[in-house]
Amino acid sequence: MSANTQTAASAQYGDVREIPLNRLKASPRNARRVGHPAEVIEARAASIQAKGVLQPLVVEPELKDGRATGYYLVSAGEGRRQALRLLAKRRVLAKAVPVRCVVDTVNDPVEVSLDENSSREPMHPADAYEAFRELSERRGWSAEEIAARFGLKPDTVRQRLRLGSVAPGLLDLYREGAVTLEQVTAFAVNPDVVRQQQVFDQLPEHQRYPHVIRRMMVEDKVAGDDRRVVYVGLDAYEAAGGPVLRDLFTPAGGGWAEDVALLERLVFDKLAVEAARVQAAEGWKWVEAYLSHPHGHGWSRVWERVLPRPADEVAMRQGLYGERDELIDRYPDLEDLPEEVEARLDLIDRELEALADDYGFDPAEKARAGAFLVLGQDGEVRIERGYVRPEDLPPEPEPDEEDEADEASSVASSEGAAPLVDNSGSDEPEEEPLGDAAAPLPVRILADLTAHRSAALRCVLAESPDIALAALVHVLALRTFSRGGAIPSCLDVRMGSHELANDGEGIEDSRAGLANAERHAAWARQMPENPVDFWAFVVGLDADSRLSLLAHCLSRSLDAVRGWENRPGVWLHGDQLATALDLDMRDWWSPSADRYLNAVTKAHVLAAVAEASKPEDAERMAKLKKGQMVEVAEPVLLAARWLPSVLRTAKPQAARADEGGEGDRVGPPVEVGATAPGDEEADAAASADEVEPQLEAPAEIET
């Protein structure tokens, strides 16, 4: 037996030796073929730097031609060797630093490596969480200090510390397998261990979904995406001394404001400052702030008007328009303009754009009108300008003396005029009075004459569709934009505008509500100040603009609300209009908890889930309480873009015939927003999320 063989044999039972790091090599017979990730090597290097090598490496001498080379092959501990080499590369350790190793020349290196990697039993995550917490409390180490000693990210350590602070009874249940890591994570959102235990005791076992637990743990707090928090800012709220409950288990962090009273005070303080700024900058009589749109205020409204321009700018604009028209007339083929003409037209357009009308409020109107600020659902402030309170309305003008005299004369002519023939009994008839040619005609005669004129007007109006359209737009515009008083129109066209906000919460902040308000304001600022001038304005519009104004005014009168009144004909017409307009309410409305699910019964929610997803999903939810059922159902219905039947729009018969190829196919009309026959597989794919979603373990939490 050679000396090298004798030396190796003497260490076969675990001779521990200090071997220089640069004499250790990776073993070709290591069972692990997939190497350690870089982050694992980093973590082990941090641990070794802080605590040293806690477990010796298992090595065998390297032999070449039966003789020892002086190097050793690492059978177990390759990850530690790589961590040591990383520290040496960074010059934290010497390249030849002695490493404690166990020399094994008897056992098969493959078996040793396999045993090292497969027979270890990792500790339970709850034990690790509590151990991290114990280190933090007993040693006073911060999350950053612990992270440095274990090669972890500080956020990962904070998560483990929070999990280790969950109520001990809940962690014991986690060890026993009675609760999951996802449930423990949901409890850890709020560090109040008393509240954690209360929520666990209140929820029956079959209702302890992670998302339900999370909601109950923060139900008395305001989420970070709430409009009040967005407006104030979480940093400003914290600077004012407001406590924030932070969620360490989502990538974005987030948080909840815990002092609701302080938050709302900050909201109204900030709104008050903004209201004062608007009032000082714009000169309104008053500016008030509201959290939501104030309904039923009973105020009238004034609108922006075109601001007057200096005479030289008006003349300049007229000259530019004239020059542009002259160039266009000179070169009718606009696709083949000379370069210099095209450049001149571009310059004219830019100059005209710079001289475009500016809109604003009349200072006299601003002196008696006001504005209010509303906090929108997105946390942005919306300013509604031009509202006039009843006590600030200007007094009605007193009638002129001449008008009163004319009215009295007219009445006298019709009621008290002397008869043409005197039958008082005298034999000699008196001479007929000549009368005054300037006196007004009696009302009876005026009515007779103008009745004939009205009949003729009806006839010629019926034969003049263009003028009839202009007259209709005129009267609708009067009823839409007039500021009160009599409507100066001979057309007896009546139109009302039902306040939809009385029936639908949040209408003003909805996509449709904001678009309607913006369109109305755009038209209102163009309308003349005096209603008498509306006719000239309407007639002066081009055909497309007149139709757009007609459509807007008419749209303001639409009321297809299905309230307490029984109006089946109105509702049917609303459905017909929706079909003609190809309305798809999925673009305007969604079945959120606040907008729909909280207001309907559990049966409605279950029926919606069964239709949008699968009947078995609804069956699984049947035993949930209402709030928990809504939590589970909302994401399913939103993903499927489900609509209640009353919001669905039937497609026109021609469209159904084109799609199906059989115009006279028997069956119910296909509705936009409903599940079409034969689309079950597509709907299942669209609703792939489980009805009982389980939160995945946070990516940074290692078990």
Side-chain angles (χ1 to χ4, degrees), residues 204-220:
E205 182 177 357
H206 67 278
Q207 296 181 7
R208 292 178 188 148
Y209 301 120
H211 66 279
V212 176
I213 295 171
R214 181 184 296 265
R215 177 178 57 81
M216 293 186 66
M217 293 301 301
V218 296
E219 62 184 357
D220 59 341

Side-chain angles (χ1 to χ4, degrees), residues 93-111:
L93 300 176
K95 292 182 179 181
V97 63
V99 181
R100 193 159 53 98
C101 301
V102 176
V103 181
D104 187 347
T105 59
V106 173
N107 294 307
D108 188 304
V110 176
E111 183 180 0

